[in-house]
Amino acid sequence: MKLRARITQRISRSIAWRVEEQVVELRDLVGALERTTRELADRGTELDKRLGELERWVGDVARESSWSANELARLAPQAAAFEARLEQQARPTVLTGELADLPEARLLVDVVREEHARVRARLSLVSAYEERLRRLELALRPAQGTE
């Protein structure tokens, strides 16, 4: 074989080997790109699922918040009426400051104390009710995260 043919053959084999090496590297890169694309698609699906869960949770919280606001709006006039009655009883206008008014003053103080006790009891019930709602809302949050 002539020298020129041998050199040409060697160069061709060298080029073919180098091209094959580049093709293998390119295939590896394409495979890695495909795997990354699948992983990103899976993550996107997972994020869509979590977004749906969050939207449901926000909807539930909005409904509960609306209900609580409605209850507060319903209770506000009652609380205002209690305050007005307490104010009327706390500032009696019938007393003249004479000794004859002392029994009536004591009676009014007793009435105010009784009303104050009733209001305190009702407010503690409202507070207990709000605490129960808070605990129920907290209990719902982890349960909604597992759906």
Side-chain angles (χ1 to χ4, degrees), residues 57 61 64 131-144:
W57 181 78
V61 168
E64 289 177 22
E131 176 62 21
R132 181 173 178 221
L133 280 178
R134 184 189 66 78
R135 279 190 255 128
L136 286 173
E137 287 173 353
L138 286 175
L140 281 176
R141 285 184 187 162
Q144 290 174 348

Side-chain angles (χ1 to χ4, degrees), residues 42-52:
D42 292 344
R43 286 182 185 168
T45 303
E46 182 181 335
L47 287 175
D48 287 342
K49 180 181 174 185
R50 291 193 67 192
L51 181 61

Side-chain angles (χ1 to χ4, degrees), residues 2-3 8 17 27 41 46 48 63 65 72-74 81 94 105-106 113 122 125 127 129 132 136-137 147:
K2 293 186 175 177
L3 181 63
T8 304
W17 175 77
R27 283 183 186 151
E46 182 181 335
D48 287 342
R63 281 190 295 280
S65 171
L72 285 174
R74 187 179 64 80
V94 294
R106 286 188 178 149
R113 285 182 181 151
R122 288 181 180 131
L125 285 173
S127 176
Y129 179 73
R132 181 173 178 221
L136 286 173
E137 287 173 353
E147 290 179 1

Side-chain angles (χ1 to χ4, degrees), residues 11-25:
I11 290 173
S12 294
R13 277 188 301 194
S14 180
I15 290 172
W17 175 77
R18 186 74 176 136
V19 167
E20 183 65 29
E21 197 175 271
Q22 293 294 321
V23 168
V24 169
E25 286 181 23

Side-chain angles (χ1 to χ4, degrees), residues 83-144:
E83 288 178 3
R85 285 176 56 196
L86 273 174
E87 187 64 29
Q88 287 174 354
Q89 291 182 358
R91 297 185 184 171
T93 56
V94 294
L95 297 179
T96 59
E98 297 176 3
L99 194 56
D101 294 331
L102 189 58
E104 187 178 353
R106 286 188 178 149
L107 178 65
L108 284 175
V109 168
D110 289 340
V111 169
V112 168
R113 285 182 181 151
E114 289 172 9
E115 186 66 26
H116 185 257
R118 283 201 265 336
V119 168
R120 223 180 352 191
R122 288 181 180 131
L123 287 177
S124 68
L125 285 173
V126 169
S127 176
Y129 179 73
E130 287 177 351
E131 176 62 21
R132 181 173 178 221
L133 280 178
R134 184 189 66 78
R135 279 190 255 128
L136 286 173
E137 287 173 353
L138 286 175
L140 281 176
R141 285 184 187 162
Q144 290 174 348

Side-chain angles (χ1 to χ4, degrees), residues 34-45:
E34 288 174 347
R35 284 189 301 275
T36 303
T37 304
R38 280 192 301 272
E39 288 173 8
L40 287 174
D42 292 344
R43 286 182 185 168
T45 303

